Amino acid sequence: IYYWQGKYECDFIVEDANKKMAIEVKYQTQERTTKGLIEAMERLGLKEGLLITRDIEKEETIDGKKIRNLPLWKFLLDL
């Protein structure tokens, strides 16, 4: 697990032998919220990312990248 920063930042990059995932954590979401996540995904060659939020659950595609928005409580139940 590590932090990633380019022009913007992404809170977590989680990596194991088989998979790499970019994760951003935000209380409220705005357009600038996903800039770091998308930049990290592009640099790392990822097609999907995770945005952990306070209460939003949806999937969206931004710049050809799939972003899954998931409330924190639901993320923690999936662990």
Side-chain angles (χ1 to χ4, degrees), residues 7-64:
K7 182 177 178 183
Y8 302 100
E9 61 185 50
C10 182
D11 293 331
F12 302 100
I13 304 298
V14 180
E15 185 174 1
D16 68 14
N18 301 317
K19 190 174 182 181
K20 190 182 290 187
M21 180 178 225
I23 302 172
E24 185 73 23
V25 181
K26 295 293 181 195
Y27 184 74
Q28 293 182 348
T29 60
Q30 302 167 358
E31 179 187 334
R32 64 182 172 84
T33 301
T34 59
K35 286 184 178 182
L37 179 59
I38 290 172
E39 182 182 31
M41 291 168 61
E42 287 173 353
R43 295 276 175 101
L44 299 170
L46 304 174
K47 295 179 182 180
E48 297 183 16
L50 178 62
L51 178 59
I52 298 174
T53 64
R54 179 175 64 111
D55 59 359
I56 297 171
E57 183 173 2
K58 67 178 181 177
E59 286 189 7
E60 57 188 329
T61 301
I62 301 173
D63 295 337

